[in-house]
Structures are given as structure tokens and as C-alpha cells.
Amino acid sequence: MQITWLGHSGFRIEIEGATLLIDPWLTGNPLFPADRRAEALAGATHVLLTHGHGDHAADAAAICKELGIPLVGIYDLVSYLEGRDGIASIGFNKGGTVDLAGARVTMVNACHSSTLSGAAGPVAAGSEAGYMIAGEGHTIYVSGDTDIMADMQWMGELHAPSIGILCAGGHFTMDMKRAAWAARRYFNFKTVIPCHYRTFGALEQDATDMVVELPGVQVIEPQVLDPIRF
């Protein structure tokens, strides 16, 4: 299994028979090298969205159409994009689990917002979500954009993820200290990978605070397109 950061909140996760592109915002992403786009997309089997904001979903439908692969996520959002852009979708909702080429993906709660850009302003786009992705003896918690939630207690107990991909940039989501507090209080991670940081000046630029707050946990500051293997 391997996890590859695409910058911001985008990840490529190769697990079981699936290659999942999660929130693959590539066009205009300051951290993503445009000349390596083909490398990021090669062999992808599904695109998985956490919510509708442009820094997560802007490229999703175009990638699905280009590669002929389905868009996976909360029913309201992916069904709308299916109708608008003529793509295939796999829509489900919180508490549901789908099998993506052997990877078991369960949608869980997040605490944020979810909109698409409209002519008159933001348009509601379903609800924000996170995911538990299970396969090859691992469970990965992808938080999506969120703050700390009491729901994290049962999510940690029920799913017992060993790997956490946690938004931690602050301003729009948890910052490093808040994400570390949630990881320490609600989960028993062996590895934590921060995301949704470094992209803009308003966001945190390094994971020092997270490293300090999570002794005994492997905190990996990802590098774009540098695979992390498990």
C-alpha cells in the first residue's frame, strides 16, 4: 500500500486493487507541479471527494471524464456532477460502505461546509464528509476538512484506524495543535500525515507543533509526489 500527496488535501492512495484520487485539485494548486499531472493520474480507478469546495473538487469531474472512471462521494454532490458533466458516479452517504476494487470505504462525519461556486454565489453541495479506508491490513482515516468533533470518539473506537490523514492548516480547519489534540484524545494512530497546509500564507507552513504534541507517533510531513509506503 502507498499514499502519495498531491499537494493541499489531494492524495493518491494505492490499496488492494484500487488507486484512489482523493480531492485531486491539481489545476492552479500552488504546490502541484503541472508537468507531472500524467504521473499523478496514471492508473487511477476512482476519484473520491470529501466535499464540494473548489480546492478539493474543481478538477474531479474533468479527471473522471478524461480517465473514464467514476466519481465517488456523498450522493447529492456526485449525482449533481454526474448530471452536469456526463460522468459515472457512485453516490452514498454517512454510515455507508462501498467496495472499490477490494478497498472498503466508509463515509463518516466531518464538521465544515460544502458548496459549489454558482453565478449568484455559493450553492449547497450536499454535506462535508470524511472516510475510513480499509484494506491490506490497514485502516486509514481521511478527515476531510473538519474541526474537532465528539464523533471522533466513536469513529476511533469502531474503526481503529492506524493511519490518520488529518487537515491541520488552521483558518479553515483544525490547526496543527487542534489536530494533534484530537489524534491524542480519540485515536491510537501509528502514523499521522498532515494536509491542507503550506498551500497559502494563511495556512500553517510546517508540522512542528504536531510533532511536539504527538510523541511516540510517526508524523510524516509529506512531499508532493513522493510515495509513502506501508
Side-chain angles (χ1 to χ4, degrees):
M1 186 187 80
Q2 66 181 32
I3 298 173
T4 305
W5 193 37
L6 304 179
H8 200 54
S9 287
F11 284 88
R12 173 188 171 99
I13 299 181
E14 297 170 51
I15 181 170
E16 299 289 352
T19 297
L20 310 176
L21 300 178
I22 301 176
D23 291 350
W25 172 48
L26 308 182
T27 306
N29 180 343
L31 296 180
F32 184 80
D35 61 347
R36 298 181 68 182
R37 184 176 182 277
E39 176 184 345
L41 302 186
T45 59
H46 305 81
V47 172
L48 185 61
L49 285 183
T50 63
H51 64 293
H53 290 160
D55 58 331
H56 297 256
D59 287 337
I63 290 172
C64 288
K65 183 173 287 189
E66 176 184 343
L67 301 182
I69 61 177
L71 180 64
V72 185
I74 200 158
Y75 178 83
D76 317 66
L77 174 59
V78 301
S79 296
Y80 171 78
L81 293 175
E82 178 181 43
R84 188 191 74 179
D85 296 304
I87 58 173
S89 73
I90 300 172
F92 64 129
N93 215 309
K94 295 173 185 178
T97 300
V98 294
D99 187 317
L100 304 181
R104 301 280 294 172
V105 179
T106 301
M107 188 184 298
V108 296
N109 201 22
C111 180
H112 190 61
S113 62
S114 180
T115 58
L116 295 169
S117 298
V123 177
S127 177
E128 63 278 12
Y131 295 101
M132 296 288 179
I133 302 173
E136 299 189 35
H138 302 279
T139 298
I140 307 162
Y141 171 43
V142 177
S143 72
D145 282 8
T146 191
D147 189 20
I148 299 167
M149 304 175 292
D151 282 0
M152 289 176 173
Q153 181 172 357
W154 68 257
M155 288 159 53
E157 291 179 4
L158 179 61
H159 293 278
S162 60
I163 301 167
I165 297 177
L166 307 181
C167 63
H171 196 80
F172 297 104
T173 73
M174 302 182 290
D175 61 17
M176 292 292 169
K177 288 187 176 181
R178 292 173 77 86
W181 188 93
R184 193 172 61 245
R185 174 71 180 269
Y186 296 124
F187 299 95
N188 187 27
F189 294 124
K190 294 180 179 177
T191 303
V192 170
I193 303 169
C195 67
H196 208 281
Y197 79 119
R198 289 175 45 194
T199 321
F200 312 109
L203 304 182
E204 297 215 29
Q205 298 299 303
D206 63 68
T208 301
D209 286 340
M210 178 177 281
V211 173
V212 170
E213 297 289 333
L214 289 177
V217 177
Q218 181 187 34
V219 177
I220 299 176
E221 289 208 58
Q223 300 303 312
V224 174
L225 291 172
D226 186 4
I228 304 166
R229 296 180 174 86
F230 295 87

